[in-house]
Amino acid sequence: MDLKVVSVAVYADDRVSQEGAVSWLRGRDDVRITEESDAASVVVLLTEAVDQRAIQYLHKFVKVGDQRAVLIPNHLGPGNLLDAVRSGMKILLPRDAVTGDRLVEAVLTASRGRTEMPLESLVTLLAQVSVESERVEITPRDINVLSLMAEGKDTEEIAAQLNYSPRTIKLIIQNFTTRFNLSNRTHAVAYAIRHGYIQ
């Protein structure tokens, strides 16, 4: 029976962590290191926490649906686990739990499409899903505004096209960013595209 070889790309906040993870993975018959995230079936990301920076890393290096991510934060904390999962994270492995064998096991588990995380993180994730499900769904008006924002139109142009006042457009955008815990307009457009609300 042929051995399945999993291609892995490793990224970290610092070079020492990256080289350490690569050295643990290198030399394994079932793992092949690649420097190109597009060529990897599993992406290993070593970050400080499951925070906005980690989500940005996931967005940058992981193509959801095609790849799986192993996220290894220094600090677990509640973070934004729901967005991390939506962005391709399959395995959440605290940095202090990482050994060479455990890292390889996490990569192979992720490559099979399985999800694993510490119990406390799973409880946090379920709470975040619960809060998300209570939120008001995105409205057609939200979609119209976000679509025009994605085209590069400013507040006044959007207001003129949709026959609203600029103040109303600002309120729609503010309500959307608040509802989905987004930081700014660019983040709102990226969120809407990533979740399929707009093309």
Side-chain angles (χ1 to χ4, degrees), residues 102-164:
R102 183 66 188 95
L103 179 57
V104 171
E105 179 188 332
V107 165
L108 297 178
T109 299
S111 74
R112 296 184 204 105
R114 292 182 52 208
T115 301
E116 287 183 10
M117 65 181 62
L119 180 59
E120 64 198 79
S121 299
L122 183 58
V123 170
T124 300
L125 176 62
L126 292 173
Q128 290 177 358
V129 169
S130 177
V131 168
E132 177 94 351
S133 67
E134 292 172 4
R135 288 177 175 158
V136 178
E137 285 297 315
I138 189 169
T139 66
R141 187 170 71 168
D142 292 332
I143 292 171
N144 288 337
V145 171
L146 288 162
S147 295
L148 292 171
M149 283 169 56
E151 292 173 12
K153 297 190 184 302
D154 62 25
T155 302
E156 287 71 22
E157 291 172 316
I158 296 170
Q161 190 158 338
L162 297 179
N163 287 322
Y164 290 123

Side-chain angles (χ1 to χ4, degrees), residues 6 16 23 30 38 40 45 48 50 64 68 70 77 80 95 113 127 136 143 151 177 179 182-183 187 198:
V6 178
V16 172
S23 70
D30 45 2
D38 287 349
L45 296 170
E48 187 61 27
V50 188
V64 178
R68 280 88 183 232
V70 175
N80 195 341
R95 184 82 61 105
V136 178
I143 292 171
E151 292 173 12
T177 54
R179 194 181 334 148
L182 306 170
S183 54
H187 192 190
I198 60 176

Side-chain angles (χ1 to χ4, degrees), residues 76-93:
L76 214 46
N80 195 341
L81 293 171
L82 185 55
D83 268 356
V85 170
R86 284 177 170 159
S87 302
M89 181 190 76
K90 284 292 182 186
I91 307 289
L92 180 65
L93 186 61

Side-chain angles (χ1 to χ4, degrees), residues 43-56:
V43 177
V44 174
L45 296 170
L46 296 98
T47 64
E48 187 61 27
V50 188
D51 55 10
Q52 194 55 44
R53 183 176 173 84
I55 303 302
Q56 288 170 350

Side-chain angles (χ1 to χ4, degrees), residues 12-31:
D13 286 335
D14 64 279
R15 189 151 186 86
V16 172
S17 297
Q18 182 168 342
E19 289 177 355
V22 167
S23 70
W24 272 336
L25 295 168
R26 186 173 283 129
R28 292 285 304 224
D29 293 336
D30 45 2
V31 173

